[in-house]
Amino acid sequence: MRVAIQGTRGAFSEAAARLRWPELDLVACRDVTDVAAAVRDGRADGGCLPIENSLVGSVTPTYDLLHEAFGDGTLHLSAEVLLPVHHAIMARPGATLAGIKRVLSHPVALGQCRIWLSKHLPDVELVSAWDTAGSAEIVGRGQDDSQAAIGPALAAGYYGLSLLEERIEDDPTNQTRFLTFTREPSPDSNTDLPKKTSLIVWLDHRPGMLAAVLQAFASRGINLTALQSRPERSAPWTYRFYVDVEGTPADPRLAEALESIEALAARIVILGSYLAWVGEGSVANAPQPAAPNHRPKPDMPLFDRRQRPEGTIITIGKIEVGGDRPLIIAGPCSVESEEMLLETADAVASAGADMLRGGAFKPRTSPYDFQGLGVKGLKFLAEARERTGLPVVTEVMSWEEVPVVGRYADVLQIGARNMQNFALLRAAGRSGMPILLKRGAGATIEEWLHAAEYVLAHGNPNVMLCERGIRTFERATRHTLDLNAVALVRERTHLPVIADPSHAAGMRSIVLPLTLASLAAGAHGVIVEVHPDPDHAMSDGPQSLDLAAFAELAGRIRGHAPQPA
Ligand code: PEP
Ligand code: MN
C-alpha cells in the first residue's frame, strides 16, 4: 500500500497513516493538495490528511481541499484516525537550549508549544516550515547549532539530531484527527462499525437557515460531531459549512435529514462516509435504536398490559410512580415569580407532596395572555427543588425546547393541546426522561395510548398517562373528568396513570372529591394546582387550591389530619 502524506519521513502524518496501514510505503508530498493529487493520479493508493487538532482547531488547508478532493466521488474517505501528538525540540548534537536562536516547525506545531516557547525561549525567531519532520531534516542537514526544530521525537533519530526536551506541547491531551482515504472504495465500508459522514452545505442569507439545517439532524436524533465554516472565496461574506455527523446515509434517518437539507440549502455536497475512530479519545456515541417507522411493528403495542403484567414502576429520585402509594404532584399552574413559587413549594412539601408542578412555558388559548416566564421559570423550579427536595414536573411545548426544559425538569409534561404533536412525542422519546402525557381534551383513549406508543417506540419506557378531563356537552364544569378512562387504561396498559382533577373541574370546590374518586378508580396519583393567592393567579386561579385546602387534600390522601400549611 503506497500512502501519500504531507511531509517527510518521521512526520506525525506518517505515524497517523501507520495506525491505519502499518505496512505502508510512504509517498512524501509537499502540501495537502499534492496528497490528494498523488492518490488521484496513481502515485499512491491512499492518503492521510490532518483535519483538526485538539488544541488549535481546524487544519484549514485540508478543509479548503475537501470539496475539490472528495466532491466528485473519485476518492473515497475510509477512516478517521486520532493520534496523540507529543512534540520534542531537537537540535544538532552538542547544541544547548541556551544557544538556540531560531526554531523551525510547522506553524500548527509552533502554535501548540506557545507556552513552553514563551517560557524557555522567549526571544527566539520562530520560522514556519512546511512540516515538522521536514524542519528536523533542515536542521539535521545544516551546520548551525543555534537552530532547533520542533516535531515528533522519532524524527530526531531519522535526521541525526539530539532531543533538547520532550513533551513540550501546551497540553498533554494534545491530539490530531486525520482523515484517511483511498482511490478504490474501502472494503470496510460494509461493516457494522460506527461511521461518520461529512458534508458541505452552502446557505442563502436568510434568518434561520443554519438552524434549520442543524434541526434536520437534531429532530431525527442524529449527533453532530463537527461544524466548521470557511469563507466562500469568490463570493465575499458567504460561507460554506462543513458538517460531520454520526452514521451513514444507509440509516434512513440520515437519508431523510439529507433529503430535507437538500431542499433547504442553496447547495449540499456529500464528501463521504468513513469509519469513526473507536480507540482512545473517541467521542463516538452508541448507535441509536432504529426509528420506529423503520423497524418492524411489534406483535402487540408496547403500552399493552400483556407486555408487562406486573405494571411499570417509574423511579424519579427517591419516588416510585406506579406502586401502591398514591403520588401527589402539586404546585401552581404557572411559575409567576421566584417568591410565589418558593412559598408554594415550601407549603406543598410540608403538606406531603411528592413532586412540584409549575409551568414555565404555558400553552395559552390567547396569545395576549401570560405565556410563562420561560427559562427564568425553569431556573426558579430548579431552585425550589434544591430547597425542598421535590422533583419537578414542567411542561415542554415543542421538540426544540426538550433539551432546555430537560436540563431543569425531572419529568417532562406534554400538555393536552400537544398530545398528538408527533415531533414532540418523538423528541420526548429520545430524551429518555420520565414523561407525563396528558390526554387531549378531544382525544379518544385509543389516540391517547397511541401517543404514548410514540414515546415508547422511540426507546423511552418512562411514560405516565394523565387524565385531565375531556370536552363533553356539559358546560357547568370546565371539562369532564373521565373516570372510565382512568379505570380502563389501568386495565389496558402497564403504564402508571395520574389524574388531574384541577383542569377537569375548572373550579376548586370539587377538586377534593374528584381526587378521591380518581384514586378509587385506580389512579396511581394526582396532579393538582395550588396557589398561595388563587384569586390573583395569572392562570387557572378558579381551579387552584389555596395552601390550606391543599394541606387538607394531602391529609385525606395520606389518611391523616391536615398538616399546618
Ligand atoms: C397545565 O397543567 O397547566 C395545563 C396546561 O394542562 P393541560 O395541558 O391538561 O390543559
Ligand atoms: Mn393550568
Side-chain angles (χ1 to χ4, degrees), residues 342-343 345-346 382-390:
L342 296 181
E343 182 185 351
D346 286 346
E383 184 187 344
R385 168 179 53 210
E386 271 302 287
R387 200 170 136 115
T388 59
L390 298 183

Side-chain angles (χ1 to χ4, degrees), residues 28 36 85 89 96 125 176 185 257 286 331 335 350 379 396 430 441 466 471 497 536:
V85 172
I89 183 161
T96 60
E125 183 189 358
T176 296
V335 177
S350 59
K379 291 185 175 166
V396 57
R430 285 194 304 272
C466 178
R471 183 156 289 176
V497 181
H536 294 98

Side-chain angles (χ1 to χ4, degrees), residues 333 357 362-363 395 413 415-417 438 468 503 529 540:
C333 177
R357 65 148 287 150
K362 293 302 301 178
E395 178 158 356
Q413 172 174 323
R417 292 156 189 83
K438 291 197 151 193
R468 45 76 73 203
H503 288 86
E529 287 186 339
D540 288 351

Side-chain angles (χ1 to χ4, degrees), residues 509-533:
S509 61
I510 61 172
V511 167
L512 175 59
L514 293 184
T515 293
L516 300 174
S518 303
L519 296 174
H524 292 105
V526 288
I527 178 167
V528 292
E529 287 186 339
V530 180
H531 194 287
D533 182 10

